[in-house]
Amino acid sequence: MNQNLYYLTQEYEKFTDECEGENVPEFVENFIYGSMEYNDVNLPKLTEEMSKQAQNKEPEEFKRAFDEMLLYLRDRFVSLDPDKKYWPLHYREGVSAFVAMIDGLVVQYFSGLYSVDDLKERTPLFAAIILNGFIGINEHEYSTLSTD
């Protein structure tokens, strides 16, 4: 793994570890707040790695680093949700969907749609919307869930 990806992975794991929350809703709200800072601080390295991906350079390294981050986050969700109330967050696919939603908010921030203050004001609403998307689905209806 190249130096940037290694650094970004380590910082993501540190951010995930330091993100407060005794349960999934608290953690998700704090994760949204913290994601803006993580992305802002690491923007130069993230931009460099995304540029490499656009040029198809080191795609396997990027995939491996991103997957490591997803699985690390999944493990945090599993520890916060032993009763599987938010069961999709116990699988790579659910965490992937969660990260896509958060990254979408980050893109909207960087595009100027939302200011930092706007996002802070709306974070409880965004967290509720996201979490409600993970409830009410029958886990046993899906055979495509990862097993790692």
Side-chain angles (χ1 to χ4, degrees):
M1 186 179 304
N2 73 45
Q3 189 173 2
N4 268 351
L5 285 174
Y6 179 77
Y7 173 83
L8 290 168
T9 302
Q10 295 301 305
E11 287 298 299
Y12 190 83
E13 290 176 3
K14 179 181 172 196
F15 158 66
T16 300
D17 288 342
E18 292 174 355
C19 190
E20 295 181 8
E22 296 295 316
N23 54 49
V24 172
E26 286 177 9
F27 177 79
V28 166
E29 191 169 321
N30 289 324
F31 192 90
I32 294 170
Y33 287 123
S35 289
M36 302 306 151
E37 183 177 332
Y38 170 85
N39 284 281
D40 191 37
V41 167
N42 292 298
L43 186 60
K45 287 180 177 17
L46 290 164
T47 302
E48 183 178 334
E49 291 306 315
M50 294 304 287
S51 177
K52 287 179 187 176
Q53 290 310 297
Q55 298 169 31
N56 202 28
K57 294 180 180 175
E58 303 176 353
E60 289 304 312
E61 283 192 36
F62 188 81
K63 178 182 173 185
R64 187 178 74 202
F66 199 82
D67 195 45
E68 271 184 41
M69 290 186 255
L70 285 178
L71 294 176
Y72 198 85
L73 181 57
R74 184 215 41 207
D75 291 346
R76 181 69 186 272
F77 280 125
V78 168
S79 72
L80 290 170
D81 187 31
D83 297 329
K84 293 180 89 173
K85 180 177 179 182
Y86 304 96
W87 72 264
L89 296 173
H90 289 246
Y91 295 93
R92 174 185 276 118
E93 294 81 6
V95 176
S96 181
F98 172 77
V99 168
M101 290 181 234
I102 303 305
D103 287 349
L105 293 173
V106 172
V107 168
Q108 291 174 45
Y109 160 71
F110 284 116
S111 71
L113 182 62
Y114 291 113
S115 69
V116 171
D117 289 337
D118 293 336
L119 286 169
K120 285 181 179 178
E121 179 182 353
R122 289 170 174 81
T123 289
L125 173 62
F126 290 139
I129 291 168
I130 290 167
L131 288 171
N132 281 315
F134 289 108
I135 296 177
I137 303 167
N138 184 342
E139 177 180 3
H140 305 290
E141 290 181 15
Y142 301 92
S143 61
T144 57
L145 296 170
S146 60
T147 57
D148 57 349

